[in-house]
Amino acid sequence: MLDIKITKTETPKEKPQGPLGFGKIFTDHMFVMDYTEGKGWHDARIVPFANFSFSPASMVFHYGQEMFEGLKAYRGADGKSYLFRPDMNAKRTNATNERLCIPHLPEEDFVQAVSAIVKMDEDWIPTEEGTSLYIRPFIIATDAFLGVAPSKTYKFIIILSPSGAYYASGLAPVGIWIEDDFVRAVRGGVGYTKTGGNYASSLAAQVKAHDAGYSQVLWLDGVERKYIEEVGAMNIFFKINGTVVTPMLNGSILPGITRDSVLHLCKSWGIPTEERKISVDELIEAQKSGALEEVFGTGTAAVISPVGKLRYKDDVMTIGDGGIGTLSQKLYDTVTGIQTGKLEDNFGWRLSVE
Ligand code: PLP
Ligand code: COI
């Protein structure tokens, strides 16, 4: 159990009015905890949200030794605050930490820290349909040292952001650009981790996709540029001839928690699912033959995000009638229903914040 010291802000901010957007507004407090080699994690605290002061030599600025997570808190109709599978974020934190030589963070401490900061700023959880409190835990390397080596000191920080839909279009289907030049990750690299560098290296393709009128990039494998991997901020699913197909976890894609939840839900509804390699050629064929019924992305920020259009080189594929597919809508309603306490939680995924 962490002993969390609390310092309350003396200048609480006005709560936002009107559309929230994503990740632009921050609450009154943040959680901070330090790590020092030989001492471990120490000085867990909740303090007013404020700027930090760091040495310009801090290692995170130079070699990117950092990790982050993303989860959400929801306000139930019963007035309680809920988290969705935070234990999975805690586990993924340590999978990332191990790969990046960041010290292990006990899972129960991660969940306690997230719960404590959410409880503190509970009245910032928005209640309008489609909104939630986005939670961003992250760890940065803080040694002032320009040598390339694991840092000996770190900061674990959690900030909170009341947010609406990740895409400006809300649940309306997005257009996705299948990138045939740049790649995101290779097996043996850090593709399965949640670290900033993965996102920095995705920007050039994302800019290209945006300029062409697409919302995000769908990555192909880094070796043959032939197999579907994932989207910039979500995993990807295809409904082909009644079967729900998603790329298998291969070390280069993020093991999404929403992805895992969607697979569980589909199985519980008796829908056949497959986790396997899917080539872009198979996809084009399926679309041409009419077998490709639905495409949707899954992610904490994106929830279930229907894809209406996919571009690959000279092919522009319209999915179904370009609208929201029946399964995408049912998954969206079910996942958000469980998250917000409207639906029964048969899987034990919801954690009420005490
Ligand atoms: N893939 C990438 C690259 C992501 O950034 C995210 C978002 O977290 C996901 C997939 C979806 O993961 P999750 O469902 O755990 O949010
Ligand atoms: C999330 O869905 O939590 C993410 O981390 C995506 C993010 C890159 C916006």
Side-chain angles (χ1 to χ4, degrees):
M1 268 296 260
L2 296 173
D3 179 17
I4 305 174
K5 207 172 141 246
I6 296 178
T7 311
K8 275 196 178 167
T9 182
E10 284 171 9
T11 51
K13 291 180 277 204
E14 287 285 320
K15 304 282 185 307
Q17 309 286 334
L20 295 168
F22 176 82
K24 295 183 197 159
I25 300 159
F26 303 97
T27 66
D28 282 329
H29 299 92
M30 61 185 177
F31 174 90
V32 185
M33 181 161 72
D34 297 304
Y35 179 91
T36 311
E37 196 177 69
K39 194 169 169 188
W41 290 106
H42 60 92
D43 288 299
R45 55 202 185 271
I46 287 174
V47 292
F49 184 96
N51 291 351
F52 284 101
S53 164
F54 288 113
S55 164
S58 297
M59 293 178 87
V60 64
F61 297 142
H62 303 276
Y63 310 120
Q65 197 195 6
E66 78 99 41
M67 65 78 55
F68 72 93
E69 268 300 327
L71 66 164
K72 284 173 171 175
Y74 312 84
R75 179 77 79 163
D78 54 7
K80 284 191 175 174
S81 309
Y82 293 109
L83 299 172
F84 184 69
R85 309 186 76 184
D87 54 313
M88 296 284 280
N89 297 92
K91 285 197 182 77
R92 195 168 62 189
T93 292
N94 282 316
T96 299
N97 287 6
E98 200 172 306
R99 180 66 179 81
L100 288 162
C101 296
I102 295 172
H104 181 89
L105 180 67
E107 281 167 31
E108 58 278 15
D109 291 354
F110 177 97
V111 175
Q112 187 195 342
V114 167
S115 303
I117 186 65
V118 168
K119 190 76 197 165
M120 183 76 192
D121 281 347
E122 198 172 25
D123 54 359
W124 281 83
I125 304 177
T127 50
E128 299 86 75
E129 181 71 32
T131 64
S132 56
L133 186 67
Y134 186 76
I135 306 167
R136 172 53 59 87
F138 61 106
I139 302 174
I140 53 172
T142 51
D143 274 8
F145 176 49
L146 297 184
V148 179
S151 181
K152 294 180 170 56
T153 60
Y154 298 85
K155 263 194 166 44
F156 173 43
I157 303 162
I158 309 174
I159 56 175
L160 307 173
S161 176
S163 292
Y166 183 63
Y167 297 112
S169 57
L171 193 59
V174 292
I176 300 274
W177 170 278
I178 304 180
E179 173 61 32
D180 52 279
D181 183 14
F182 295 121
V183 298
R184 175 183 179 273
V186 287
R187 219 145 47 87
V190 293
Y192 68 92
T193 70
K194 233 166 144 52
T195 188
N198 281 337
Y199 299 80
S201 66
S202 76
L203 296 176
Q206 193 174 306
V207 168
K208 195 163 70 167
H210 275 186
D211 288 349
Y214 291 81
S215 297
Q216 275 210 28
V217 170
L218 175 59
W219 298 102
L220 298 178
D221 76 275
V223 179
E224 296 179 73
R225 290 181 214 184
K226 187 172 163 190
Y227 297 101
I228 306 285
E229 296 251 298
E230 65 179 325
V231 181
M234 34 184 213
N235 295 109
I236 190 88
F237 283 76
F238 307 97
K239 184 157 169 263
I240 305 174
N241 266 336
T243 297
V244 168
V245 187
T246 194
M248 65 199 194
L249 300 179
N250 59 1
S252 61
I253 67 172
L254 194 79
I257 296 160
T258 322
R259 173 189 181 278
D260 182 79
S261 309
V262 160
L263 286 168
H264 273 94
L265 284 170
C266 287
K267 285 176 193 159
S268 77
W269 295 333
I271 299 174
T273 61
E274 289 175 3
E275 296 173 73
R276 61 168 172 86
K277 279 186 163 183
I278 309 155
S279 70
V280 69
D281 291 342
E282 175 185 345
L283 205 62
I284 292 169
E285 276 314 303
Q287 196 265 345
K288 285 197 175 131
S289 72
L292 183 60
E293 296 159 20
E294 287 186 42
V295 181
F296 55 90
T298 65
T300 298
V303 198
I304 306 294
S305 189
V307 175
K309 193 170 74 169
L310 278 170
R311 167 270 173 202
Y312 178 66
K313 296 186 178 167
D314 294 330
D315 270 308
V316 177
M317 301 174 251
T318 301
I319 316 302
D321 60 4
I324 303 171
T326 318
L327 179 63
S328 309
Q329 183 72 56
K330 182 173 175 185
L331 282 164
Y332 178 86
D333 293 342
T334 308
V335 169
T336 54
I338 295 173
Q339 288 168 337
T340 55
K342 272 189 219 130
L343 294 179
E344 202 164 326
D345 176 25
N346 296 324
F347 295 95
W349 286 340
R350 203 162 53 218
L351 179 74
S352 119
V353 177
E354 304 301 339

